[in-house]
Amino acid sequence: MASKLRFKVVDDAFKKRPVEVKTPVERPSEYFGKFVFDKQKMFKYLPAKVYAKMCDVIDNGAPFDRKIADAVAEGMKRWAIDLGVTHYTHWFQPLTEGTAEKHDGFVEHDGKGGMVEEFEGKILVQQEPDASSFPSGGIRSTFEARGYSAWDPTSPVFIIGDTLMIPTIFISYTGEALDYKAPLKKSLYAVDKAATAVSQYFYPDVKKVITNLGWEQEYFLVDESLYTARPDLVMTGRTLMGHDSAKNQQMDDHYFGSIPERVENFMRDIEIHALELGIPCKTRHNEVAPNQFELAPIYEECNLAVDHNMLMMSIMKRVARKHGFRCILHEKPFKGVNGSGKHNNWSLCTDTGVLLHAPGKTQMENLRFVTFIVETLKAVYDHNGLLKAAISSATNAHRLGANEAPPAIISSFLGRTVSDLLEHVEKSSDDDILAVAGKTTMQLDIPSIPEILIDNTDRNRTSPFAFTGNRFEFRAVGSEANCASAMLALNTAVAEALTNFKERVDVLIEKGEAKESAILKVVRDDIKYIKPIHFDGNGYSEEWKEEAAKRGLDCETSCPLIYDRYLDENTIKMFESQKVMTKFELQARNEIKWETYTKKIQIEARIFGDLCMNHIIPVVTKYQSTLIDNVHKIKEIFPEEKYQKISANNLHLIEQISEHESFIVENVEKMVEARKKANRIESEREKAIAYHDNVAPYLEKIRYHVDKLEEVVDDELWPLPKYRELLFIR
């Protein structure tokens, strides 16, 4: 029965499904932002004075005046109703890695037995979700349920289906952040304040510094029928067992290859949805592993980019099902092939230009470039353990350090040009700052091919935090993570470094030092200080792990222990001094992180035990019985000498199966006991450590034996779709 079911599932999966793809006849520029209440819509639906105030809030960070809330809500409602909208919701990002929404209708009594469509300013600006039902780390209890969601006017309202979606922050009744957006926005304000002050050394007219983010979203697609036949994929997002396919990514033929037709239809569909929602999708391509793909937008302001990424992940999952796929965002859904990351391209720019852009035309411009590079590296060095904690999870732990993912040691690649520049600045005199080289050219011996422009940095895929021309690429962020976790840690660290830099420079200036000379002195000190974080070599090598430890970099690999970095004295001081999070909020978030880690391993262990005992062992036993029966029949038919020769292979196979089977049964029991023992621990930290140390190792130990059985058990009996079926779309 198992074989018939499995092969029917595989057959169904390999049949192409005709899908009606949404293809507007307009050019993308004509429907971009169609379902977004952007400035163009505001201008049309809001009174002129209200529109001007909203622009001041969005462009200049002016406080929102509640007196205009009713007028804004009325304009939004008229726009939404014109597009067939009937409901609204506050859309926020609780500490679950997902988003949350509760839909209400534009419905109120009219006092005459009928109803009217109504949407008031007070509802737009603020609502009260049940704060005790979301992870709070002890900030809210069941009997302390009140929490507030508050509108973020800098992230445009948008429409999904028949619902007006209002991006909001989410805080407790007592003011603590219960989401990612609130502290992210505080960190962006901290960077703006600190970076603007430093920028004014070089450009006195600078009024504002903006943090930009360009994310690159990697993901897997799996045929839906195959997905539903794998309980481990359904429940955990990854395959807990499965032997390597004979062919996977070793031929390097999937990367940038021709996109399968079904996948291209899916990509086209999600891009149209994204563009209509104002998400500027730019890139799509095959990634390295089979069934792995990537999409990326043009960079945007960081807060908006995070909102767009959360929205995009939701769109991808929903649209994939329409095309007969499931979209897998787990960092390591398949063992032995590349995992999925979400590279965060981070940069700073003023209202006049990009701070990390080089080369400059003057010595002060080059000094500006060096200053912001060095102070960013100082932030990364001072808080390398925290940055690792910000991207660590039970799922991302499977990816880091394997198959082109960066290692779990934070370091920064700069490239030869920038490295040489920093060395020169460290040793140069005050009036001799080396100009930063721009792109050079390479002329090929092929007359018809134009000359190649060579960047001033190479790429280093083993570097978690690499400088790539005018930005840093934080490559270690996991594919299913909320970017805000990494970005708010990085932003706050950079804000602290720049604040400290200005304080030291100002002290020298007050003592009579010339501004340029004071900047150079502090920069030179910091160039010497940050040398341990700078590494341009192979991050996968064992030598680097030893060297990183000698340099004092954080080399911890246990997730529960990595999370301790959030509660280090210098971390708490940083977040509190920059007014981003309090010690109480950090402690609460760590409780959530430890609890989440425990629950993910707990779910994996439960599903894995069930698969082993209720799917694998019965099939293996049945196959083994068939072999034993066959041996008995051979013995009845053939003489002893012939029997020994003919049955030797079967006897060896029976013995092999028995060994694997015994190991699985015995160790599943041990895993269950380890889980029960860990569950009795009250401390969330100690419980997470117990799950990491005593439960999780069983998953790999037992898997080895299950995967060996997959190789020898009759293919028709094996109950689960195999990698060769899961990893190739037809």
Side-chain angles (χ1 to χ4, degrees):
M1 184 64 190
S3 63
K4 289 180 181 178
L5 178 61
R6 174 169 153 248
F7 283 107
K8 183 181 185 306
V9 165
V10 173
D11 263 1
D12 289 346
F14 289 162
K15 291 174 184 173
K16 286 191 177 182
R17 299 166 179 79
V19 175
E20 183 183 345
V21 181
K22 188 177 180 185
T23 52
V25 294
E26 311 104 311
R27 292 177 297 173
S29 58
E30 294 174 332
Y31 59 85
F32 181 76
K34 177 180 178 181
F35 296 122
V36 179
F37 195 65
D38 52 23
K39 286 184 180 178
Q40 186 179 9
K41 317 294 191 322
M42 287 182 197
F43 184 79
K44 179 178 178 181
Y45 285 91
L46 300 183
K49 289 183 179 179
V50 174
Y51 170 75
K53 287 187 175 182
M54 282 298 299
C55 287
D56 195 27
V57 171
I58 295 166
D59 296 336
N60 305 316
F64 179 79
D65 183 358
R66 272 182 171 260
K67 293 176 183 177
I68 68 170
D70 283 335
V72 175
E74 177 61 26
M76 280 184 186
K77 183 191 73 175
R78 287 192 294 114
W79 167 70
I81 288 175
D82 285 349
L83 291 170
V85 169
T86 57
H87 289 70
Y88 61 87
T89 183
H90 274 201
W91 181 76
F92 55 97
Q93 300 165 26
L95 300 174
T96 59
E97 299 296 339
T99 57
E101 54 197 65
K102 175 179 72 74
H103 298 201
D104 290 299
F106 292 132
V107 176
E108 290 294 338
H109 288 295
D110 66 356
K112 303 173 185 177
M115 56 80 64
V116 292
E117 288 86 5
E118 190 170 290
F119 182 53
E120 297 178 327
K122 63 182 181 181
I123 294 174
L124 165 66
V125 171
Q126 180 179 321
Q127 289 189 27
E128 295 185 16
D130 185 346
S132 68
S133 297
F134 291 99
S136 72
I139 290 176
R140 296 274 83 187
S141 301
T142 304
F143 65 92
E144 297 171 316
R146 194 182 297 277
Y148 297 116
S149 56
W151 178 37
D152 173 14
T154 64
S155 186
V157 168
F158 57 94
I159 293 171
I160 297 285
D162 64 357
T163 305
L164 184 70
M165 315 287 284
I166 304 162
T168 64
I169 64 167
F170 181 40
I171 61 172
S172 73
Y173 177 68
T174 46
E176 294 86 5
L178 297 176
D179 70 343
Y180 285 105
K181 181 186 271 284
L184 174 66
K185 288 187 70 67
K186 289 180 181 180
S187 76
L188 292 169
Y189 175 73
V191 171
D192 178 12
K193 181 181 176 183
T196 297
V198 174
S199 295
Q200 288 171 348
Y201 284 142
F202 310 98
Y203 312 111
D205 294 336
V206 167
K207 300 290 190 296
K208 184 177 184 179
V209 170
I210 300 157
T211 303
N212 292 320
L213 169 63
W215 44 264
E216 303 168 24
Q217 181 71 57
E218 294 175 345
Y219 61 96
F220 281 83
L221 291 177
V222 175
D223 278 291
E224 184 161 27
S225 51
L226 296 176
Y227 171 89
T228 54
R230 291 286 311 221
D232 48 355
L233 263 181
V234 172
M235 296 293 179
T236 72
R238 76 180 182 109
T239 53
L240 298 173
M241 54 184 65
H243 197 278
D244 288 350
S245 172
K247 179 184 184 298
N248 47 55
Q249 66 186 45
Q250 68 266 50
M251 299 301 294
D252 299 321
D253 55 347
H254 189 257
Y255 189 52
F256 281 17
S258 177
I259 301 171
E261 184 181 356
R262 286 177 59 206
V263 175
E264 192 167 6
N265 286 339
F266 159 75
M267 289 177 167
R268 188 181 301 114
D269 210 356
I270 60 171
E271 285 173 2
I272 291 166
H273 281 286
L275 291 167
E276 287 177 338
L277 290 167
I279 305 172
C281 283
K282 175 77 172 176
T283 302
R284 65 186 186 202
H285 64 83
N286 289 3
E287 256 300 334
V288 175
N291 280 18
Q292 188 186 33
F293 307 94
E294 180 181 299
L295 67 84
I298 303 168
Y299 72 89
E300 301 177 280
E301 184 276 326
C302 185
N303 175 54
L304 181 59
V306 170
D307 281 1
H308 279 170
N309 181 246
M310 297 304 292
L311 178 56
M312 194 73 219
M313 289 192 288
S314 175
I315 293 170
M316 289 163 67
K317 290 177 180 178
R318 188 173 68 249
V319 175
R321 297 193 69 173
K322 191 175 80 172
H323 289 260
F325 294 124
R326 283 299 183 110
C327 179
I328 310 294
L329 294 173
H330 191 290
E331 283 81 4
K332 197 74 171 179
F334 302 103
K335 187 176 180 180
V337 298
N338 276 23
S340 295
K342 178 152 50 195
H343 306 161
N344 280 206
N345 294 281
W346 176 92
S347 67
L348 297 175
C349 69
T350 70
D351 44 359
T352 61
V354 180
L355 289 173
L356 299 178
H357 186 266
K361 295 180 180 178
T362 67
Q363 180 155 300
M364 280 300 281
E365 285 184 342
N366 286 331
L367 184 54
R368 172 266 306 160
F369 172 76
V370 171
T371 296
F372 279 93
I373 290 289
V374 169
E375 295 313 308
T376 299
L377 291 180
K378 185 174 185 295
V380 175
Y381 179 41
D382 284 340
H383 298 285
N384 69 93
L386 171 65
L387 289 176
K388 181 163 68 175
I391 54 88
S392 291
S393 67
T395 55
N396 204 23
H398 294 290
R399 164 184 166 260
L400 294 178
N403 299 90
E404 288 202 0
I409 301 171
I410 301 297
S411 65
S412 185
F413 166 85
L414 297 178
R416 190 70 267 147
T417 302
V418 178
S419 299
D420 287 346
L421 171 64
L422 297 190
E423 185 177 350
H424 180 86
V425 171
E426 180 188 350
K427 298 175 181 177
S428 66
S429 60
D430 287 4
D431 57 356
D432 179 28
I433 300 177
L434 182 70
V436 186
K439 292 187 178 184
T440 56
T441 62
M442 177 192 298
Q443 187 65 54
L444 303 178
D445 293 329
I446 308 173
S448 60
I449 302 297
E451 63 184 11
I452 305 296
L453 297 177
I454 307 300
D455 290 279
N456 59 22
T457 66
D458 199 347
R459 289 199 175 200
N460 186 332
R461 292 189 175 276
T462 70
S463 177
F465 196 81
F467 183 67
T468 56
N470 58 7
R471 64 193 182 278
F472 282 96
E473 185 178 19
F474 197 1
R475 296 179 55 84
V477 182
S479 55
E480 70 176 355
N482 187 322
C483 300
S485 178
M487 290 298 97
L488 73 89
L490 175 61
N491 291 338
T492 311
V494 171
E496 180 193 54
L498 290 171
T499 300
N500 177 260
F501 173 82
K502 187 173 189 304
E503 289 171 353
R504 288 180 290 151
V505 170
D506 286 350
V507 166
L508 293 177
I509 292 173
E510 287 170 8
K511 290 180 179 178
E513 192 87 36
K515 180 177 71 173
E516 187 173 332
S517 176
I519 292 170
L520 265 172
K521 280 187 177 179
V522 176
V523 165
R524 286 192 183 113
D525 287 344
D526 287 348
I527 289 173
K528 295 170 186 173
Y529 175 76
I530 63 170
K531 284 183 178 179
I533 201 71
H534 177 199
F535 179 65
D536 285 355
N538 179 10
Y540 289 163
S541 68
E542 290 300 317
E543 291 81 6
W544 166 237
K545 292 177 184 177
E546 295 174 10
E547 174 62 23
K550 290 177 184 175
R551 294 185 184 192
L553 302 182
D554 194 307
C555 298
E556 182 58 64
T557 58
S558 164
C559 263
L561 295 179
I562 290 170
Y563 292 149
D564 286 345
R565 300 289 72 76
Y566 273 101
L567 300 178
D568 285 347
E569 186 178 340
N570 66 330
T571 299
I572 295 168
K573 180 183 176 184
M574 176 194 78
F575 277 117
E576 291 190 333
S577 69
Q578 298 302 314
K579 297 180 171 57
V580 173
M581 282 191 285
T582 65
K583 181 178 181 179
F584 181 43
E585 288 173 307
L586 291 168
Q587 288 171 331
R589 280 167 192 257
N590 258 28
E591 288 293 306
I592 295 169
K593 286 178 182 291
W594 285 317
E595 185 179 6
T596 300
Y597 180 88
T598 294
K599 286 177 178 177
K600 289 201 173 185
I601 304 300
Q602 184 182 74
I603 291 168
E604 287 190 351
R606 284 175 171 172
I607 293 297
F608 188 69
D610 172 67
L611 284 173
C612 286
M613 303 310 295
N614 295 322
H615 292 68
I616 304 304
I617 293 300
V619 166
V620 169
T621 303
K622 181 179 180 180
Y623 181 57
Q624 188 181 40
S625 297
T626 302
L627 292 176
I628 292 170
D629 186 51
N630 180 257
V631 169
H632 281 301
K633 287 176 180 177
I634 290 171
K635 189 167 187 177
E636 290 174 5
I637 296 171
F638 293 98
E640 182 67 21
E641 186 179 336
K642 197 85 170 174
Y643 156 73
Q644 290 292 345
K645 188 174 180 181
I646 295 173
S647 63
N649 286 337
N650 277 355
L651 288 168
H652 176 67
L653 197 52
I654 291 166
E655 185 179 4
Q656 236 185 321
I657 289 171
S658 294
E659 290 173 0
H660 292 308
E661 193 175 11
S662 297
F663 186 94
I664 292 168
V665 172
E666 180 184 341
N667 283 274
V668 165
E669 289 176 3
K670 289 180 180 178
M671 180 177 69
V672 170
E673 285 306 310
R675 185 163 53 80
K676 288 179 179 178
K677 185 177 179 181
N679 290 342
R680 291 193 288 270
I681 300 173
E682 290 189 11
S683 161
E684 291 296 345
R685 179 181 181 274
E686 296 307 314
K687 187 187 294 185
I689 291 171
Y691 262 91
H692 176 274
D693 293 350
N694 304 328
V695 179
Y698 280 110
L699 295 170
E700 281 305 306
K701 284 197 293 186
I702 300 170
R703 176 179 183 151
Y704 171 82
H705 292 271
V706 174
D707 291 354
K708 284 295 181 184
L709 285 172
E710 185 185 317
E711 284 190 291
V712 298
V713 170
D714 187 340
D715 186 57
E716 288 193 3
L717 290 177
W718 197 255
L720 303 174
K722 297 184 176 182
Y723 273 24
R724 66 166 184 259
E725 295 152 357
L726 290 164
L727 281 171
F728 296 93
I729 291 170
R730 299 183 189 176

